[in-house]
Amino acid sequence: MRAAYIEELGSPDVIRWGELPAPLPGPGEVLVDVLATTVNPVDTFVRSGVFRTPIPMPFVIGRDLVGTVASPGCGFAVGETVWCNSLGHEGRQGPTAEQAVVPADRLYRLPSGVRPEDAVAVVHPAATAH
């Protein structure tokens, strides 16, 4: 699986693009094929180490995604379009990859007619504002 990841905290030049093993969902998690993701200020804080949180290395960067369910489970069906805005910290890998594992309690169905690019651009800022 192709992904943007880091192997150490630091400036943007520590970001790598390459192959990593595909993630495997565990209990209470859903595998998602990523359609769209973003870069938010909090992503830079996590990557640089300014915002300290446990992260496994190599660490897939990012926080927000819109995607489609790749493996059924936890009430989600294959092909459903979903979103999440809370990956990439507290031990969770980020979504800047072809696939991401998302805890089911942090995964939401995208309303029909909403473009993935539009949704991913607003889910994190809107949640922060809320």
Side-chain angles (χ1 to χ4, degrees), residues 21-120:
L24 299 173
E29 296 178 328
V30 177
L31 182 65
V32 175
D33 290 329
V34 178
L35 295 173
T37 188
T38 61
V39 176
N40 289 300
V42 71
D43 301 329
T44 65
F45 301 151
V46 171
R47 185 240 327 124
S48 69
V50 169
F51 179 69
R52 292 289 183 182
T53 183
I55 55 175
M57 297 291 181
F59 174 68
V60 177
I61 60 176
R63 189 168 173 89
D64 311 327
L65 73 74
V66 172
T68 57
V69 174
S71 63
C74 304
F76 291 93
V78 170
E80 282 189 278
T81 305
V82 292
W83 65 273
C84 177
N85 70 335
S86 60
L87 295 177
H89 72 102
E90 294 183 356
R92 293 186 295 277
Q93 292 283 357
T96 309
E98 292 177 307
Q99 292 186 311
V101 168
V102 182
D105 64 348
R106 295 175 178 271
L107 193 62
Y108 307 95
R109 289 171 178 86
L110 191 68
S112 105
V114 177
R115 292 177 352 131
E117 299 83 0
D118 294 337
V120 79

Side-chain angles (χ1 to χ4, degrees), residues 12-32:
D13 64 329
V14 302
I15 300 171
R16 302 288 176 252
W17 173 254
E19 292 290 326
L20 289 178
L24 299 173
E29 296 178 328
V30 177
L31 182 65
V32 175

